[in-house]
């Protein structure tokens, strides 16, 4: 079915916008993806003018595990300790729409053919929306790396983009997963201990307070936005049954009332489509944005943790140096360690200040863009609903 100009305009706005910085020398997108039962294969397309790459344009196929591997290598590198590492894309999860589709099939006998067809159409649209969000989040991760003046030079990132064979990234085994869990527990306990220490730099103390408070507010907003989206989806699904009831009444009615009942059935079917779009737009432009910045704020907190850890190491090296001088033993080694710790802390502090300042500007711009686009779509949908209701009233008056 061909799209109308109005639908094409909507589609331009119906995408996840979480980052506005694009480097024209390295442009990345995911134009295609193939969903299989246990995995999704993403086609990663790159256009570049950078000399580090062998070709100006190329495409490779990657799976979710490849994205996680790339993210983990960046997080684990000491070279990027002072940077906000873009959050890894969430794992593709299509279980919810698949379960709903299975339940719909089991309950087919209790519905009319028309109700079943419309419910199936709704679930197919939901599956497609989840699939598009999955692709968008993986694309955003790569675009964030491409737009970063330091991370875009990472060798593993270049291999990820350019190597045209399977990266053969295996999933973590049980031992590695347990090790990662243990490391996470140690980090959490460490964060609790460090959270009570007042930072010597007022800038970082304010940033720490802000990020903790803002993350809690974002979590609360996300839960409420999801509740609003579910409500609109439920309304759209209820319209299916209302439309079917009016259609059934119209078929049974032999008087002139029949055509009015049929018009009401058509009205609720059109309202269903609009409310379905409202729910989809709110999910993309609000809920998904909030979910992304929950992860991005956590990445900012991780940066502050690494800096706090470096500060503690620096302070401990100072104590070790004082102790070595008192005992006149291993002084040279202690001095070297103290200098290394000092340089590491200062380097992280310098880049972290730039990263957090940039993060604020990027966040404000992304929220502003999404809110404007969502408001424009809400106004458009409201006008369409008003037009439908007015037309229906005019028909009823005749």
């Amino acid at each position: 079915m061909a799209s109308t100009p109005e639908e094409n305009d909507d589609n331009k706005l119906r995408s996840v916008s979480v980052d506005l910085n694009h480097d024209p020398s390295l442009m990345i997108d995911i134009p295609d993806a193939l969903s299989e039962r246990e995995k999704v294969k993403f086609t990663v397309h790159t256009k570049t003018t950078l000399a580090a790459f062998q070709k100006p344009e190329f495409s490779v196929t990657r799976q979710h595990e490849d994205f996680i591997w790339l993210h983990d290598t960046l997080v684990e590198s000491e070279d990027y300790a002072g940077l906000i590492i873009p959050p890894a894309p969430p794992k593709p999860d299509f279980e919810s729409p698949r379960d709903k589709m299975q339940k719909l099939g089991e309950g087919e006998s209790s519905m009319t053919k028309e109700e079943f067809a419309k419910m199936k159409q709704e679930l197919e649209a939901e599956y497609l929306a989840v699939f598009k969000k999955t692709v968008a989040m993986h694309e955003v991760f790569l675009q964030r790396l491409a737009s970063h003046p330091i991370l875009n030079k990472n060798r593993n990132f270049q291999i990820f983009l350019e190597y045209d064979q399977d990266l053969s990234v295996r999933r973590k085994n049980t031992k590695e997963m347990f090790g990662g869990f243990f490391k996470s527990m140690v980090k959490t306990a460490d964060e609790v201990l460090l959270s009570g220490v007042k930072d010597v730099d007022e800038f970082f103390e304010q940033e720490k307070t802000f990020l903790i408070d803002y993350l809690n507010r974002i979590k609360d907003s996300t839960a409420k936005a999801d509740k609003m989206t579910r409500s609109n989806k439920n309304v759209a699904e209820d319209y299916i049954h209302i439309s079917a009831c009016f259609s059934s009444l119209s078929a049974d009615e032999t008087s002139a009332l029949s055509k009015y009942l049929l018009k009401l059935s058509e009205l609720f079917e059109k309202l269903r489509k609009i409310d379905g779009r409202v729910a989809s737009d709110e999910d993309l432009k609000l809920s998904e944005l909030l979910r992304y910045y929950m992860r991005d704020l956590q990445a900012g907190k991780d940066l502050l943790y690494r800096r706090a850890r470096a500060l503690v190491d620096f302070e401990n090296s100072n104590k070790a140096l004082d102790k070595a001088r008192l005992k006149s033993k291993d002084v040279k080694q202690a001095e070297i360690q103290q200098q290394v710790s000092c340089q590491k802390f200062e380097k992280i502090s310098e880049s972290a200040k730039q990263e957090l300042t940039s993060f604020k500007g990027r966040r404000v711009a992304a929220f502003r863009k999404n809110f404007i686009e969502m408001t424009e779509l809400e106004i458009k949908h409201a006008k369409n609903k008003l037009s439908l209701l007015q037309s229906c009233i005019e028909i009823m008056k005749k």
Side-chain angles (χ1 to χ4, degrees):
M1 185 181 290
S3 298
T4 65
E6 183 177 295
E7 287 172 334
N8 286 332
D9 289 341
D10 278 358
N11 289 334
K12 290 176 185 177
L13 293 174
R14 285 195 179 92
S15 59
V16 185
S17 302
V18 296
D19 189 48
L20 307 177
N21 300 326
H22 294 288
D23 183 353
S25 66
L26 183 59
M27 301 295 289
I28 303 171
D29 67 313
I30 299 180
D32 190 29
L34 178 64
S35 176
E36 298 179 358
R37 182 154 188 85
E38 297 298 328
K39 58 189 174 183
V40 178
K41 292 182 177 179
F42 303 92
T43 299
V44 180
H45 172 249
T46 305
K47 289 182 70 174
T48 181
T49 58
L50 298 176
F53 295 94
Q54 296 179 8
K55 299 177 183 178
E57 187 171 359
F58 42 88
S59 295
V60 295
T61 301
R62 296 289 178 254
Q63 296 182 35
H64 175 72
E65 286 74 22
D66 300 325
F67 288 79
I68 298 302
W69 165 79
L70 178 58
H71 173 266
D72 289 350
T73 61
L74 296 172
V75 170
E76 292 164 5
S77 174
E78 284 290 327
D79 295 337
Y80 309 128
L83 305 179
I84 294 178
I85 308 299
K91 182 180 179 180
D93 183 9
F94 304 110
E95 286 304 312
S96 178
R98 281 174 181 163
D99 289 345
K100 288 180 181 178
M101 192 69 78
Q102 184 178 344
K103 289 178 182 177
L104 178 65
E106 293 170 356
E108 183 178 359
S109 59
S110 63
M111 304 179 192
T112 64
K113 286 186 178 180
E114 186 180 4
E115 281 181 303
F116 178 78
K118 289 177 181 177
M119 289 293 284
K120 185 179 179 183
Q121 187 182 24
E122 280 289 306
L123 290 177
E124 286 172 347
E126 182 180 336
Y127 182 91
L128 182 60
V130 172
F131 184 76
K132 285 183 176 180
K133 283 193 294 184
T134 298
V135 172
M137 286 294 97
H138 285 73
E139 185 178 73
V140 163
F141 171 67
L142 297 179
Q143 290 174 347
R144 280 282 305 277
L145 295 178
S147 66
H148 197 285
I150 297 175
L151 295 175
N152 66 9
K153 296 178 178 62
N154 177 263
R155 182 57 185 157
N156 286 328
F157 181 43
Q158 294 174 358
I159 291 171
F160 177 96
L161 295 176
E162 195 170 29
Y163 183 61
D164 60 2
Q165 302 297 316
D166 188 350
L167 290 178
S168 300
V169 175
R170 64 173 178 81
R171 293 188 177 185
K172 292 182 178 180
N173 57 38
T174 305
K175 184 178 179 181
E176 289 170 328
M177 290 178 69
F178 180 77
F181 174 74
F182 181 75
K183 187 177 179 181
S184 176
M185 291 289 289
V186 171
K187 176 176 172 287
T188 301
D190 219 10
E191 283 181 324
V192 173
L193 292 173
L194 294 173
S195 63
V197 180
K198 185 173 175 62
D199 203 296
V200 293
D201 189 317
E202 189 62 30
F203 172 84
F204 289 105
E205 183 64 26
Q206 290 178 356
E207 285 298 312
K208 180 176 72 174
T209 303
F210 169 77
L211 287 178
I212 292 171
D213 181 58
Y214 198 73
L215 181 57
N216 289 332
R217 292 175 185 270
I218 288 284
K219 287 179 180 178
D220 183 52
S221 298
T222 304
K224 290 176 179 176
D226 285 341
K227 185 177 180 180
M228 176 181 68
T229 302
R230 282 196 300 272
S231 295
N232 277 319
K233 283 182 179 178
N234 291 338
V235 169
E237 289 176 4
D238 288 342
Y239 282 163
I240 292 175
H241 304 298
I242 296 173
S243 175
C245 286
F246 277 122
S247 178
S248 179
L249 285 171
S250 173
D252 294 338
E253 184 63 54
T254 56
S255 67
L257 184 61
S258 176
K259 68 175 184 179
Y260 296 118
L261 292 171
L262 186 60
K263 286 296 178 183
L264 282 173
S265 175
E266 292 172 356
L267 170 67
F268 279 102
E269 170 59 16
K270 291 175 181 177
L271 289 175
R272 172 188 74 83
K273 291 180 179 179
I274 292 176
D275 275 309
R277 287 182 178 178
V278 169
S280 177
D281 292 338
E282 288 172 347
D283 188 37
L284 278 172
K285 292 297 174 187
L286 183 58
S287 297
E288 203 59 33
L289 176 75
L290 292 170
R291 269 190 288 273
Y292 181 83
Y293 273 97
M294 277 174 58
R295 298 192 295 273
D296 212 13
L297 284 163
Q298 185 57 54
K301 282 183 63 183
D302 290 342
L303 168 58
L304 290 179
Y305 165 74
R306 291 192 294 271
R307 180 183 171 277
R309 186 70 264 172
L311 174 58
V312 170
D313 291 343
F314 175 45
E315 290 174 342
N316 288 338
S317 69
N318 285 332
K319 293 175 183 177
L321 177 57
D322 291 339
K323 191 174 180 180
R325 284 171 175 167
L326 280 172
K327 293 184 176 181
S328 298
K329 184 180 180 181
D330 299 327
V331 175
K332 187 64 178 177
Q333 185 179 348
E335 287 177 344
I336 293 172
Q337 184 59 47
Q338 190 264 356
Q339 289 173 2
V340 170
S341 299
C342 178
Q343 289 171 0
K344 180 181 178 181
F345 172 67
E346 290 178 347
K347 181 182 177 182
I348 290 178
S349 296
E350 182 181 358
S351 60
K353 191 168 288 190
Q354 295 173 356
E355 287 284 299
L356 290 168
T357 302
S358 173
F359 169 70
K360 181 180 180 180
R362 184 175 68 246
R363 174 175 50 80
V364 170
F367 271 83
R368 181 177 182 273
K369 183 174 186 290
N370 277 266
F371 288 164
I372 290 173
E373 290 178 353
M374 187 181 76
T375 303
E376 288 173 346
L377 288 168
E378 295 273 1
I379 292 171
K380 189 171 190 174
H381 295 322
K383 286 181 177 179
N384 288 340
K385 288 179 78 171
L386 178 61
S387 177
L388 283 173
L389 292 169
Q390 287 176 333
S391 297
C392 187
I393 290 171
E394 289 302 316
I395 292 171
M396 294 293 182
K397 286 180 178 179
K398 292 178 183 179

